[in-house]
């Protein structure tokens, strides 16, 4: 960050960090345009609103556990009058058959790659191509919730433009795998981007002083994007050690991205209590948030391997899980 600041880049304008970031994302994703947004929540609402207005349709399809459906107080409905058709089983990925079974005309379908709340699962490449082609063939737009596209690419191992080309609009996050301070980019064609500029202004997203977010993201692109395959390999090694040990279970096995879930044989309250004791004892915060399960005596948490987690060997993580379980008794 300091190096970039010292490089004497002006804070805004065509030579400022936001413009540099937008140009870099355009080239990286192979789209005609890329537009900075202060949040992914806003970027996705704008993309869906444009797809809906253009088609005169209000419904979009998405996984029942998509971020839009679960974590955004239904902004798409309250702010934009859109309707979500949850598609498929909440604990599994959407399938082509699930999408084909949607009866009503859709403005868009949303793919969250990876599907975070079910352990970071990804559809196979051929399945993804078939799904997006089918949806677009029915006149709906394909939108990518690519908050973790950087992570998903480590599984597909295809160039970013090849993945982005499956979609009409692509949102990427600047602060997850790239570990920036916040912000998002919406990559798309020039016509859609021009409409998105208007909506960004309308929703209050045309913020001044966005340059620190862009600078942090540029730093992440330089330093962390090349590290993501190593993060994924480490996630696979940790998950394998957890599953060989058997006290807890890592899902999916093997992880497809640096993100996976660990399922514990204890209830959520016991896990939270044990985590607090573990933190006090060792200074290690094993998870941010616990997830309950239909079985009250089980729960799970998400592991997202970034630079911090690289400092722990798989055996150390297994040891921490044993410490956690010991504190739960
Ligand atoms: C899959 C997914 N989509 C969208 C978002 C929203 O991004 P933002 O926090 O920038 O609004 C998040 C944030 O966690 C996310 O995980």
């Amino acid at each position: 960050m300091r190096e970039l600041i010292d490089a004497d880049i002006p804070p805004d304008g065509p030579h400022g960090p936001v413009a540099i970031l937008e140009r870099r994302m355009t080239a990286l994703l192979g789209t005609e345009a890329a537009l900075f947004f202060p949040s992914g929540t806003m970027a996705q609402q704008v993309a869906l609103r444009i797809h809906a207005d253009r088609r005169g349709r209000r419904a979009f399809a998405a996984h029942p556990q998509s971020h839009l459906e679960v974590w955004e107080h239904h902004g798409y409905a309250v702010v934009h009058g859109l309707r979500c058709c949850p598609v498929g089983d909440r604990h599994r990925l959407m399938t082509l058959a699930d999408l084909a079974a949607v009866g009503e005309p859709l403005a868009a379908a949303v793919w969250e790659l990876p599907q975070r709340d079910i352990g970071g699962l990804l559809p196979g490449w051929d399945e993804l191509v078939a799904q997006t082609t089918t949806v677009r063939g029915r006149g709906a737009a394909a939108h990518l919730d690519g908050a973790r596209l950087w992570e998903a690419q480590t599984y597909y191992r295809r160039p970013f433009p090849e993945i982005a080309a499956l979609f009409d609009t692509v949102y990427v996050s600047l602060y997850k795998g790239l570990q920036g301070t916040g912000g998002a980019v919406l990559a798309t064609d020039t016509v859609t981007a021009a409409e998105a500029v208007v909506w960004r202004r309308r929703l209050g997203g045309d913020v001044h002083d966005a340059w620190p977010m862009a600078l942090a993201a540029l730093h992440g692109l330089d330093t962390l994007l090349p590290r993501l395959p190593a993060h994924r390999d480490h996630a696979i090694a940790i998950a394998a050690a957890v599953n060989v040990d058997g006290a807890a279970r890592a899902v999916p096995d093997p992880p497809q991205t640096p993100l996976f879930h660990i399922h514990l044989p204890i209830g959520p309250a016991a896990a939270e209590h044990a985590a607090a004791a573990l933190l006090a004892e060792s200074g290690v915060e094993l998870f941010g948030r616990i997830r309950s399960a239909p079985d009250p005596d089980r729960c799970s948490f998400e592991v997202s391997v970034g630079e911090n987690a690289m400092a722990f060997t798989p055996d150390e993580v297994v040891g921490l899980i044993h410490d956690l379980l010991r504190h739960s008794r």
Side-chain angles (χ1 to χ4, degrees), residues 23-277:
R23 285 196 291 273
R24 182 134 173 212
M25 287 289 189
T26 304
L28 182 62
L29 299 170
T31 52
E32 289 175 7
L35 203 58
F36 172 85
F37 274 86
S39 74
T41 301
M42 188 188 287
Q44 300 213 94
Q45 282 185 22
V46 166
L48 292 174
R49 175 67 186 253
I50 292 170
H51 295 318
D53 286 355
R54 199 174 277 168
R55 290 165 178 79
R57 303 173 181 175
R58 307 317 289 167
F60 67 91
H63 189 273
Q65 297 215 52
S66 77
H67 196 275
L68 283 149
E69 187 56 11
V70 178
W71 297 109
E72 300 179 16
H73 296 305
H74 298 119
Y76 63 78
V78 180
V79 182
H80 301 282
L82 305 181
R83 199 154 39 76
C84 178
C85 301
V87 172
D89 184 293
R90 57 183 283 105
H91 297 297
R92 288 186 290 177
L93 286 170
M94 294 194 298
T95 64
L96 183 57
D98 293 330
L99 279 164
V102 177
E104 60 187 306
L106 294 172
V110 178
W111 283 264
E112 186 180 304
L113 302 180
Q115 196 67 56
R116 178 190 187 183
D117 281 354
I118 53 172
L121 286 177
L122 285 164
W125 179 255
D126 291 345
E127 170 77 10
L128 180 63
V129 171
Q131 289 185 12
T132 50
T133 308
T134 301
V135 163
R136 289 170 115 177
R138 287 172 54 183
H143 171 74
L144 171 58
D145 178 338
R148 295 174 183 78
L149 172 60
W150 320 119
E151 289 88 329
Q153 194 270 343
T154 65
Y155 173 71
Y156 290 125
R157 295 181 192 209
R158 286 170 188 270
F160 286 112
E162 197 178 335
I163 303 174
L166 300 179
F167 302 94
D168 298 279
T169 41
V170 172
Y171 140 65
V172 292
S173 176
L174 304 182
Y175 74 90
K176 298 185 175 77
L178 300 185
Q179 297 185 13
T181 57
V185 160
L186 187 66
T188 184
D189 59 275
T190 41
V191 175
T192 306
E195 287 181 44
V197 167
V198 178
W199 274 108
R200 185 177 64 176
R201 181 94 187 158
R202 269 190 193 127
L203 296 176
D206 202 0
V207 291
H208 287 288
D209 281 342
W211 62 267
M213 279 191 262
L215 268 191
L218 286 167
H219 183 66
L221 285 173
D222 287 339
T223 60
L224 290 168
L225 194 55
R227 296 276 297 144
L228 287 174
H231 294 171
R232 174 175 182 261
D233 289 348
H234 199 55
I236 291 171
I238 293 174
V242 169
N243 285 340
V244 165
D245 171 73
R249 205 160 79 81
V251 177
D253 184 18
Q256 291 166 299
T257 70
L259 186 152
F260 63 98
H261 284 187
I262 290 185
H263 291 243
L264 297 169
I266 53 177
E272 277 159 2
H273 172 80

